Amino acid sequence: MVPPSQYVLPNDLPVALLDCEEAFSLLSSEEKLYTHFLSRASFYGGLIVLFQTSPESPAIYILLNRIFRAQVPSVLHGVALTQGLTEDEFQALLVYAAGFFANMGNYKSFGDTKFVPMSPKGEIEKLLRASDAFAKDPEGMERLWKIVAEHMYSLEPRERQLGLGDQGITTYFSGNCTMEDAELIQRFLDSKNLSAYNTRLFKTQDEGGRTKYEVRLASITKEGGSLSSDLSNVLGSFEFEGHEIIVTRGDYSALLLRVRENLEKAKAYASNDNQRKMLEEYGRSFQEGSIQAHKEGSKHWVQDKGPIVESYIGFIESYRDPFGSRGEFEGFVAVVNKLVSARFAQLVSAAESLVPTLPWPSSYEKDVFLRPDFTSLDVVTFSGSGIPAGINIPNYDDIRQSVGFKNVSLGNVLSVGSATEREKLTFLSEEDKDVFMKYRGPSFEVQVGLHELLGHGSGKLFVQDEKGGFNFDNDSVINPETGESVKSWYKPGETWDSKFSTIASSYEECRAECVGLYLCVNEEVLRIFGHESQEAQDVLFVNWLNMVRAGLMGLEYYTPETGRWRQAHMQARFVILRVLLEAGENFVTLTRKVGVDGRPDAQVTLDRSKIMSVGRPAIKRFLLRLQVYKSTADVDRAREMYDGYSKVTDSEPYHFLTLRDIVILRKEERKSFVQINTRLTGAAVEALRYDSSPSGLIQSVTERFPDDEKELECLMLEMSCADAHFWGKECSR
């Protein structure tokens, strides 16, 4: 039985402010206005994530917002005590609300497990009825509570994690969809050359019992309206493999309208034509539901080199779609840190000499290395379910291969996110803790740089176009795994995500992590980041040690009941741990022990003297296989290998399931981030800061939409109720 701690957030939830005050203050007035309107667009779009997480998330968001908007936490605290709540119970409510807002839903963005309030339901209901929000609108609050109360607390097996069918909850698909349905619709989408990124799938039955599928595109336009060329032949009803499939538009319409309106306002303060054209195409994409328009915008974004204010917005990462093809909405706005960016520019300059040292033949690499932008950014706004440390985008393979991509390292996320107190550092020897504490931050910066630029930025996909032509020499290129000519590739309409589907995200993260490990031993790379001599050796050691420790900690994100991994990066790190354990020679050791507190504990070690002789050759062999299978679209061999390394059992010699219990026993909750708000007063933009606490995080969210919060909540509730029946929910409006 999984410990209850898996499903609650601790009362000492770590919360940190994403500090961007200095970076923001140095912007010109026009740059501040550009930042402000892009931030507004991002935050409005971020509300879509609620609808992409769980059926109950939009209503929970509205309920919590109303409670804490009517009374700030310090005032509500007094009400709670008079209603008989203990200090711990009220703190647990604050933590739940802060965690909910930080994850944009009631499932963790990192790990996809549900979290429920630690405060008893009856106590929360008493506080609700005594609140000012209830006094102002008893009928509305009663209705919201009725919608969410049961599902806020429910931990039925299927509801404990995100997943498809009986594996979990997802709102990318109606509740009756299965993996077979997802595969059918992917074949249909491929046949129409239609991306799944901005879609959801709903399955119903007509009166005769025949199954019907609705593929719904995210767009402002619901019916009629102008059409992009890529949509002209795909809207409407189709027969496919004996099934009726209807392609419609209008998902998230009211929210996307607000996104587009703010992109239009931002366009007036754009600093060049690339930015203006980028925003125009994004707006057209959201208006029409066209991924092709978003691709056009992304091309202009890639060509916008070295902007002071960097941003990206749309349906981007597919980590949380159980099938791996649909993108979660994401929008970020950030200011360039010129000092740190100079180091990354040096890494870009060195990339052309580093790429040929990767372990695959030159025919498996892009024909031309397209020098990307690589900048360090201080995040002003990041909307979505979570905030990463680095990003390599766009995710469109055709653009990455022909136009290029950008890398960003999120500096203020890195600096706060990697900070750990020594006493909370788990699974390392006392000796290793000392060097780990000193060099974790610098080593992570190196790894993020290599992971994003040369991990995600390297490698070629072998593709056949509609005319039968190839982007590689089909006669001469040899598969180094078989010694024979290449026998598989991506056919017209197929993409990396559609072909590798459920393993695509984790597999690609694993490949990028391996590139980071493989290249971090390079003296030139370490020198670029300011590390030489013994310090350089310590940085690369901590990078490798951090990876195997993360592999052990990744066990938290494996669900034995379903046999599924819930987090792409942590699965990738566990796979790397397995590869390095398999390398033998006691390079990596895993041992179970009793901790100083008398409870079960574990320790991982890595022999730094064997990194070059044992570790790097093992990563080299594995990395070659990862790339060859990816390039040649050999999903069967890739899945066999990757699933094999991902397997978690309790067999000798490592007893991974037992280790998983230990990891969960000693886990530390990930940080939640407080973000600023920007406020327009006349022609001036000011930044509003908040405390690094659950209360500060809550206040930042309740003050996010001061101009239209009530109208917005009504629209969101209407949207949520309109689709509630797809998950068997009742929703009295």
Side-chain angles (χ1 to χ4, degrees):
M1 193 66 185
V2 180
S5 64
Q6 276 286 83
Y7 304 109
V8 293
L9 301 175
N11 268 8
D12 60 351
L13 178 77
V15 177
L17 173 70
L18 276 183
D19 190 4
C20 60
E21 190 169 20
E22 183 180 355
F24 185 79
S25 68
L26 295 174
L27 295 177
S28 69
S29 57
E30 291 229 328
E31 288 164 347
K32 285 180 179 176
L33 285 162
Y34 184 65
T35 299
H36 169 72
F37 288 117
L38 287 176
S39 292
R40 304 311 301 149
S42 296
F43 278 139
Y44 277 118
L47 296 171
I48 290 171
V49 177
L50 296 162
F51 295 86
Q52 294 179 308
T53 299
S54 70
E56 64 271 13
S57 281
I60 296 175
Y61 173 90
I62 296 167
L63 179 78
L64 294 173
N65 234 299
R66 288 186 182 177
I67 291 172
F68 288 106
R69 201 166 63 230
Q71 290 166 291
V72 296
S74 58
V75 174
L76 199 62
H77 175 247
V79 179
L81 295 184
T82 62
Q83 293 300 310
L85 274 75
T86 66
E87 293 284 355
D88 281 348
E89 287 169 347
F90 182 70
Q91 177 66 15
L93 173 62
L94 294 183
V95 162
Y96 177 79
F100 183 94
F101 290 144
N103 289 279
M104 265 295 135
N106 58 340
Y107 287 76
K108 293 180 184 178
S109 64
F110 202 87
D112 293 345
T113 47
K114 187 174 185 178
F115 57 94
V116 301
M118 203 163 11
S119 317
K121 187 194 294 186
E123 299 302 304
I124 298 299
E125 185 172 357
K126 278 198 295 185
L127 176 58
L128 169 72
R129 294 183 186 284
S131 68
D132 280 2
F134 195 91
K136 291 174 184 174
D137 182 14
E139 187 180 328
M141 294 297 284
E142 187 79 59
R143 186 166 67 247
L144 281 169
W145 181 247
K146 184 180 177 183
I147 293 171
V148 307
E150 179 187 344
H151 299 295
M152 264 177 82
Y153 282 87
S154 174
L155 284 174
E156 291 297 316
R158 186 184 174 192
E159 295 183 45
R160 293 174 187 170
Q161 63 283 316
L162 298 179
L164 184 56
D166 59 4
Q167 300 289 302
I169 291 294
T170 178
T171 45
Y172 287 108
F173 299 84
S174 57
N176 56 351
C177 282
T178 64
M179 192 59 74
E180 289 71 28
D181 295 319
E183 290 166 351
L184 167 71
I185 296 306
Q186 188 61 59
R187 292 195 298 275
F188 167 76
L189 294 174
D190 288 346
S191 76
K192 295 292 183 183
N193 205 19
L194 184 63
S195 171
Y197 267 122
N198 63 341
T199 70
R200 291 197 290 173
L201 177 65
F202 303 100
K203 182 169 77 169
T204 56
Q205 286 189 328
D206 62 21
E207 292 178 359
R210 187 181 183 220
T211 298
K212 294 174 64 174
Y213 296 95
E214 178 193 0
V215 175
R216 190 188 299 172
L217 308 184
S219 69
I220 299 166
T221 301
K222 294 183 180 181
E223 294 176 9
S226 60
L227 281 174
S228 295
S229 59
D230 61 315
L231 296 177
S232 58
N233 296 317
V234 298
L235 293 178
S237 181
F238 303 89
E239 285 287 324
F240 183 79
E241 296 185 10
H243 299 279
E244 183 181 359
I245 300 173
I246 303 169
V247 182
T248 65
R249 292 193 290 179
D251 218 0
Y252 323 122
S253 176
L255 298 177
L256 287 172
L257 175 62
R258 286 163 168 75
V259 174
R260 196 204 65 192
E261 288 171 346
N262 280 281
L263 293 180
E264 280 294 318
K265 292 174 182 176
K267 197 164 64 173
Y269 304 100
S271 62
N272 58 55
D273 280 343
N274 269 321
Q275 289 182 358
R276 279 184 282 275
K277 289 174 182 175
M278 165 188 90
L279 295 175
E280 280 174 17
E281 293 293 350
Y282 291 163
R284 184 165 70 89
S285 169
F286 299 142
Q287 180 69 49
E288 300 178 15
S290 168
I291 288 297
Q292 189 57 46
H294 196 267
K295 284 185 172 184
E296 292 303 315
S298 296
K299 290 177 185 176
H300 291 295
W301 178 72
V302 171
Q303 291 161 354
D304 181 29
K305 303 288 187 183
I308 300 299
V309 178
E310 186 61 281
S311 67
Y312 197 60
I313 192 167
F315 296 88
I316 312 300
E317 302 293 355
S318 58
Y319 299 126
R320 299 182 96 190
D321 169 16
F323 191 69
S325 295
R326 288 153 188 81
E328 182 175 88
F329 195 94
E330 181 179 290
F332 78 83
V333 192
V335 181
V336 171
N337 180 319
K338 292 182 179 178
L339 185 64
V340 181
S341 295
R343 287 207 294 269
F344 290 134
Q346 285 183 271
L347 187 63
V348 172
S349 297
E352 287 178 79
S353 62
L354 291 170
V355 167
T357 69
L358 291 168
W360 45 83
S362 58
S363 54
Y364 284 72
E365 193 47 67
K366 294 181 182 71
D367 300 331
V368 179
F369 180 75
L370 301 163
R371 287 174 62 95
D373 243 13
F374 197 169
T375 48
S376 176
L377 308 175
D378 285 342
V379 171
V380 177
T381 296
F382 203 114
S383 75
S385 64
I387 307 178
I391 318 172
N392 176 288
I393 38 182
N395 286 331
Y396 306 119
D397 292 326
D398 49 347
I399 295 178
R400 296 170 65 82
Q401 303 271 332
S402 60
V403 181
F405 53 89
K406 283 186 182 181
N407 299 276
V408 298
S409 173
L410 304 180
N412 54 349
V413 177
L414 269 171
S415 61
V416 203
S418 61
T420 307
E421 298 170 33
R422 193 182 193 283
E423 57 269 23
K424 291 186 176 180
L425 199 55
T426 52
F427 311 130
L428 296 179
S429 69
E430 292 303 311
E431 180 185 357
D432 283 346
K433 282 181 182 180
D434 293 332
V435 68
F436 190 90
M437 287 295 295
K438 188 173 182 180
Y439 292 111
R440 182 187 189 184
S443 73
F444 194 47
E445 184 183 46
V446 172
Q447 179 67 11
V448 168
L450 294 171
H451 173 115
E452 301 297 347
L453 173 65
L454 294 163
H456 293 314
S458 65
K460 179 176 182 173
L461 302 183
F462 294 164
V463 177
Q464 183 180 30
D465 61 29
E466 284 90 347
K467 297 177 181 178
F470 295 93
N471 69 340
F472 66 104
D473 189 337
N474 195 29
D475 295 322
S476 65
V477 174
I478 299 298
N479 182 328
E481 283 294 294
T482 64
E484 301 172 353
S485 59
V486 171
K487 291 183 168 54
S488 57
W489 46 82
Y490 295 85
K491 296 179 175 59
E494 292 180 342
T495 65
W496 161 250
D497 278 334
S498 71
K499 188 74 176 173
F500 281 68
S501 65
T502 54
I503 66 167
S505 292
S506 183
Y507 188 101
E508 174 58 14
E509 294 304 334
C510 187
R511 195 183 69 86
E513 292 283 49
C514 286
V515 168
L517 288 180
Y518 187 74
L519 292 178
C520 78
V521 304
N522 185 292
E523 290 182 2
E524 183 186 1
V525 167
L526 292 164
R527 193 161 42 246
I528 286 170
F529 283 91
H531 310 301
E532 297 189 68
S533 305
Q534 184 57 45
E535 180 181 286
Q537 295 304 306
D538 288 341
V539 166
L540 82 87
F541 166 62
V542 169
N543 194 36
W544 281 70
L545 180 64
N546 190 31
M547 187 63 69
V548 294
R549 176 177 179 261
L552 172 61
M553 294 169 68
L555 287 166
E556 175 191 343
Y557 301 93
Y558 175 78
T559 305
E561 292 83 356
T562 62
R564 287 180 60 249
W565 284 88
R566 307 185 313 276
Q567 214 293 320
H569 300 78
M570 299 311 276
Q571 179 183 0
R573 291 158 189 164
F574 177 77
V575 165
I576 292 170
L577 170 64
R578 290 286 308 274
V579 169
L580 295 178
L581 285 167
E582 184 182 79
E585 299 188 42
N586 285 323
F587 174 54
V588 174
T589 64
L590 268 180
T591 53
R592 285 174 289 146
K593 62 178 189 176
V594 176
V596 292
D597 56 3
R599 300 188 300 169
D601 205 346
Q603 185 171 296
V604 61
T605 66
L606 182 140
D607 188 339
R608 66 190 298 165
S609 70
K610 295 177 181 175
I611 289 175
M612 296 303 293
S613 61
V614 180
R616 196 167 188 256
I619 291 296
K620 179 179 182 179
R621 290 189 297 272
F622 182 55
L623 192 47
L624 174 62
R625 295 171 72 191
L626 286 169
Q627 183 58 49
V628 168
Y629 298 153
K630 180 182 180 183
S631 290
T632 60
D634 193 348
V635 67
D636 292 336
R637 282 194 176 88
R639 194 178 289 279
E640 180 184 9
M641 176 188 72
Y642 203 70
D643 286 350
Y645 281 121
S646 300
K647 194 168 289 184
V648 178
T649 71
D650 219 24
S651 60
E652 295 281 358
Y654 301 113
H655 299 280
F656 285 121
L657 285 175
T658 300
L659 284 170
R660 178 182 178 274
D661 291 339
I662 295 171
V663 168
I664 290 171
L665 179 69
R666 297 189 175 275
K667 75 185 179 79
E668 181 184 359
E669 200 61 49
R670 289 173 64 84
K671 283 189 178 71
S672 293
F673 294 111
V674 182
Q675 300 185 51
I676 69 161
N677 284 315
T678 55
R679 187 65 44 84
L680 185 60
T681 308
V685 179
E686 62 175 325
L688 307 180
R689 283 171 57 102
Y690 302 91
D691 291 340
S692 292
S693 66
S695 294
L697 200 161
I698 291 166
Q699 189 180 354
S700 73
V701 175
T702 59
E703 293 183 2
R704 195 153 283 166
F705 304 105
D707 301 327
D708 61 348
E709 56 202 14
K710 291 181 180 177
E711 180 190 359
L712 193 60
E713 288 173 0
C714 287
L715 287 168
M716 289 170 63
L717 195 56
E718 185 179 315
M719 289 164 57
S720 178
C721 287
D723 288 333
H725 65 281
F726 285 121
W727 297 277
K729 312 292 184 190
E730 291 185 13
C731 189
S732 53
R733 300 183 211 181

